[in-house]
Amino acid sequence: MDEERPFTPDLPPGYAIDRARPDDAPGIAAVYEAAYPSDTDYPLVEESAVHEALLGDSNVATFVVATGGTVVGTAAIEYDSLDDGNAQICKLAVHPDHQGRGLGRELLKHRLNVLHADRSFSGVVYSAAVTSHPASQHNLLARGFEPFSIHKGLQEGYFGPTSESEVITLYTPSIDYDERDVYVPERYRHIVERTLASASLDLLGRRIRTVNTVTYPTADQVEMALSRARGFLWEVTADGHESWARTEAEIRAAMREEDVHLMVPVDANARHLLALYEPLEADGFSPAGFIPDWLTRDGEDRDAFVFQHPPSDEPAAVCVVDDVKALIDVLGWEYRVVEDADRYWTLEL
């Protein structure tokens, strides 16, 4: 990212944004406690958790917005949060007494300015927007983010009693424009083309190879690694990182775990991994999107075709903006329109 400061700050009078200090921990915890419902189990309402997960983690840059010496908002950048070299825009919360003043917007702009000015960072920037808060989707899309995948019930229920759905949005200026072959079955070509067009017209120069296969990869070709803490399955080649999971058996074992949502990003630039598409579909995984530069392998950016396995087919309500609804349409998901609001749709997936 070339521009050092592409967004002009526009904070209301009396407010200031700074990098969080250790003595901000009580104020940060108080903001999370006020912003999240009391009947949920959001961990950062505890001061000790703020110290450990935010202020004490070298991979996390935490920021606060304060007025009159009181912390009233907070947000973070988490580096290497999904894969090497990326940065997640996350942990946003504004005290209810100070909402509606553009503080969430200013915290987003501030973090993007920090990333633009950081010459040591050159990876992809993303955010996982909870679909029960369409305002956050508007905020992200208005500042250069685009939706690339949507996941039903993937997040824990921090905003209510049930799991939250989320949409993965990428900051398009952070996407690498190197041409790479993309290998996907023909039936998914339209998903790849739609998401690449959303990222940039330049990305349409990538060659899309469409090959169908029904062959399982053998154990010495591909292994799968499951991170139980995150609920993600990762592919690794046999000569890559050590893995405790082998493709067929361990995917099915993970699927049997109660209330576990699985997200499988398949390296779309590796032709031999086409063999994963058919068995994933046969085992009940559904396509969730195509995300450019989502993976890093041997220092190279890789595109990912993402699948998800939900633990149940129970209907889930989501509030999504037009661009996210367009992605759902491209994915072919079935839904019922509950309400067409002024700036978002309420759907039942």
Side-chain angles (χ1 to χ4, degrees):
M1 296 186 288
D2 298 328
E3 296 179 84
E4 292 189 8
R5 195 180 174 89
F7 297 102
T8 302
D10 188 25
L11 276 166
Y15 292 88
I17 296 177
D18 291 297
R19 183 75 179 261
R21 303 183 306 272
D23 58 1
D24 288 324
I28 293 172
V31 167
Y32 285 124
E33 185 174 18
Y36 283 85
S38 58
D39 59 348
T40 63
D41 193 25
Y42 191 69
L44 296 179
V45 299
E46 300 291 339
E47 183 179 340
S48 58
V50 171
H51 275 294
E52 180 180 356
L54 297 183
L55 305 180
D57 189 334
S58 61
N59 282 340
V60 179
T62 305
F63 304 89
V64 294
V65 56
T67 182
T70 301
V71 174
V72 297
T74 186
I77 301 170
E78 184 177 350
Y79 296 89
D80 299 336
S81 62
L82 183 78
D83 212 27
D84 293 340
N86 64 31
Q88 181 181 186
I89 298 292
C90 59
K91 304 293 190 296
L92 171 66
V94 175
H95 194 286
D97 292 344
H98 296 265
Q99 292 175 5
R101 304 181 190 184
L103 301 183
R105 176 195 66 221
E106 293 304 308
L107 280 165
L108 173 59
K109 289 161 58 177
H110 184 84
R111 286 175 289 170
L112 292 175
N113 282 342
V114 167
L115 289 167
H116 274 276
D118 185 356
R119 298 190 181 279
S120 66
F121 176 77
S122 60
V124 68
V125 179
Y126 78 97
S127 184
V130 178
T131 56
S132 58
H133 289 68
S136 66
Q137 300 169 51
H138 282 293
N139 190 19
L140 290 163
L141 268 62
R143 269 139 214 112
F145 285 77
E146 290 285 349
F148 288 93
S149 71
I150 184 166
H151 302 271
K152 176 183 172 183
L154 187 64
Q155 288 197 15
E156 294 185 57
Y158 293 136
F159 293 97
T162 59
S163 297
E164 295 279 344
S165 301
E166 68 176 23
V167 54
I168 300 294
T169 65
L170 262 61
Y171 184 51
T172 54
S174 70
I175 299 174
D176 181 12
Y177 292 97
D178 290 341
E179 183 175 322
R180 295 190 290 272
D181 287 344
V182 178
Y183 296 95
V184 294
E186 181 66 40
R187 61 189 177 279
Y188 295 139
R189 183 187 184 105
H190 66 291
I191 298 174
V192 178
E193 290 179 336
R194 185 268 178 196
T195 53
L196 290 183
S198 295
S200 167
L201 292 176
D202 296 337
L203 286 174
L204 289 177
R206 292 191 187 174
R207 295 185 297 273
I208 301 175
R209 309 300 189 194
T210 56
V211 182
N212 282 290
T213 177
V214 294
T215 306
Y216 270 100
T218 60
D220 60 349
Q221 289 177 321
V222 179
E223 294 179 344
M224 303 296 292
L226 171 65
S227 166
R228 291 183 180 274
R230 293 174 179 262
F232 296 149
L233 282 161
W234 299 100
E235 60 83 14
V236 294
T237 57
D239 58 355
H241 301 293
E242 182 179 354
S243 168
W244 60 264
R246 294 192 179 260
T247 308
E248 219 173 330
E250 290 296 346
I251 286 180
R252 291 193 170 128
M255 290 167 55
R256 289 193 294 270
E257 294 187 26
E258 187 175 359
D259 294 331
V260 172
H261 288 245
L262 302 177
M263 175 179 168
V264 183
V266 179
D267 182 347
N269 307 123
R271 187 185 186 283
H272 69 280
L273 293 183
L274 280 162
L276 287 175
Y277 287 86
E278 293 286 350
L280 284 171
E281 284 186 300
D283 285 339
F285 283 81
S286 59
F290 176 82
I291 311 181
D293 293 354
W294 194 232
L295 306 174
T296 302
R297 294 292 177 265
D298 299 323
E300 295 183 355
D301 292 332
R302 314 290 288 180
D303 304 319
F305 199 100
V306 184
F307 284 87
Q308 182 189 0
H309 183 273
S312 73
D313 290 327
E314 294 182 2
V318 300
C319 297
V320 295
V321 299
D322 287 348
D323 286 1
V324 179
K325 181 178 178 295
L327 174 61
I328 293 174
D329 289 335
V330 170
L331 290 171
W333 286 19
E334 294 184 359
Y335 60 83
R336 180 175 68 89
V337 177
V338 178
E339 181 185 2
D340 180 4
D342 288 341
R343 301 188 67 203
Y344 63 91
W345 301 78
T346 300
L347 309 178
E348 185 180 78
L349 297 179

